[in-house]
Amino acid sequence: DVEADSKPRGHLIVVEGLDRSGKTTQCEMLCEDIQGREKKVKYIKFPDRTTATGQMINSYLQGKAEQNDQAIHLLFSANRWEAVQGMLDELQSGTTIVIDRYSFSGAVYSAAKENQNLSLEWAWNPEIGLPQPDLVLFLDISSEDAVKRGGYGEERYEKEEMQIKVRTLFKHLFSKLDHLNVRNIDAGQPLQSVADQIWQVYLKLEESGPAYGNPPS
Ligand code: T5A
Ligand code: NA
């Protein structure tokens, strides 16, 4: 049995949600807790603003540069594709990866733009073939509650109308991708309560046993 002979890989976990739903905070807490179980874990964030594509994305998000809707969309996607080999290497070495935003944000934010230039279907296409997560944690929060949190409103997409569309599109996309393991988390709760919900879901993933080979693409 090839599977039994090969070493188990790390899990690929994605955290998604609206702006200010607490993704980065929760990713950090989850990584710490996983580390506390003597497991190797790596945090990855998209967009990765440190690469060449990431710098273009950063300028766009901060309103310092304009981009055609399709072009910026494909840059966000390229920013993920350029990270794939590194991710697969980490997983194969037994490291669990916690990703702060992924393809789902990619498709949903572009399709939510007010000019309606891009369909969700078009936006999803360049994401096809990226490693699929073993678990997606969707941090669900109403846009009214998200607005109340610090720093909201500084970047391009941080407008309430846009966030309402984003939330609807996330739910629509996840309902179509029913082969994925997507778990809804009530992110309107206090920090520790959100972390506890996430930890219970993580423990179930761990209990379901290790994964082998590359994740499906
Ligand atoms: N985007 C992204 C695309 O259009 N296409 C793509 O392909 C991708 C990947 C930037 C933008 O890019 C878009 C989506 C975004 O509009 P980003 O860099 O992930 O994406 O955005 P950030 O600004 O870094 O992060 P967010 O705004 O999404 O915030 P988080 O990470 O969800 O929230 P966090 O943890 O930083 O918390 C925000 C504030 O809330 C407090 C925190 O202390 C902090 O002040 N907070 C809570 N307060 C009360 N109760 C809780 N439970 C709280 N949890 C956090
Ligand atoms: Na943001």
Side-chain angles (χ1 to χ4, degrees):
D1 185 344
V2 181
E3 271 200 3
D5 289 342
S6 62
K7 268 174 44 189
R9 65 163 169 86
H11 282 122
L12 187 56
I13 302 172
V14 166
V15 177
E16 282 284 8
L18 298 192
D19 291 77
R20 296 301 181 256
S21 56
K23 296 175 299 301
T24 302
T25 310
Q26 292 299 330
C27 282
E28 282 164 3
M29 292 171 85
L30 177 60
C31 285
E32 262 180 47
D33 289 344
I34 294 174
Q35 238 161 6
R37 291 169 80 85
E38 311 276 298
K39 290 194 174 227
K40 290 189 286 179
V41 61
K42 187 181 165 77
Y43 169 77
I44 296 181
K45 172 170 179 48
F46 292 115
D48 174 358
R49 302 188 193 216
T50 66
T51 70
T53 59
Q55 283 163 29
M56 292 167 81
I57 292 167
N58 187 48
S59 300
Y60 174 80
L61 285 172
Q62 295 185 349
K64 293 176 187 152
E66 290 307 315
Q67 292 275 359
N68 154 285
D69 290 338
Q70 285 82 0
I72 187 65
H73 180 74
L74 294 172
L75 280 174
F76 271 113
S77 188
N79 187 246
R80 282 181 281 280
W81 277 104
E82 66 191 5
V84 167
Q85 194 54 54
M87 283 165 50
L88 294 179
D89 291 348
E90 291 282 0
L91 290 172
Q92 286 308 324
S93 78
T95 303
T96 288
I97 300 181
V98 175
I99 310 184
D100 192 343
R101 291 196 191 274
Y102 198 50
S103 305
F104 315 100
S105 282
V108 155
Y109 278 78
S110 290
K113 287 180 166 180
E114 57 192 278
N115 55 17
Q116 303 276 295
N117 229 345
L118 293 181
S119 68
L120 188 63
E121 195 188 7
W122 190 95
W124 182 251
N125 268 315
E127 305 300 320
I128 295 172
L130 283 168
Q132 284 182 27
D134 300 300
L135 170 65
V136 180
L137 297 158
F138 177 58
L139 270 51
D140 195 16
I141 186 171
S142 69
S143 53
E144 302 93 72
D145 284 344
V147 175
K148 290 179 197 143
R149 296 190 176 169
Y152 197 73
E154 283 160 17
E155 283 199 335
R156 193 179 283 261
Y157 298 149
E158 298 184 342
K159 314 225 163 36
E160 191 167 359
E161 220 184 83
M162 170 93 180
Q163 300 291 326
I164 291 169
K165 274 197 214 156
V166 163
R167 186 171 184 239
T168 307
L169 284 171
F170 263 129
K171 294 190 177 217
H172 178 69
L173 180 62
F174 289 138
S175 76
K176 290 190 126 189
L177 300 171
D178 54 6
H179 58 285
L180 283 180
N181 180 17
V182 182
R183 301 297 301 265
N184 231 65
I185 303 293
D186 179 1
Q189 302 287 318
L191 271 187
Q192 192 55 50
S193 145
V194 179
D196 291 345
Q197 292 176 61
I198 290 176
W199 189 241
Q200 290 313 311
V201 175
Y202 171 79
L203 288 179
K204 287 218 181 78
L205 176 70
E206 221 187 66
E207 278 165 19
S208 72
Y212 295 89
N214 280 334
S217 52

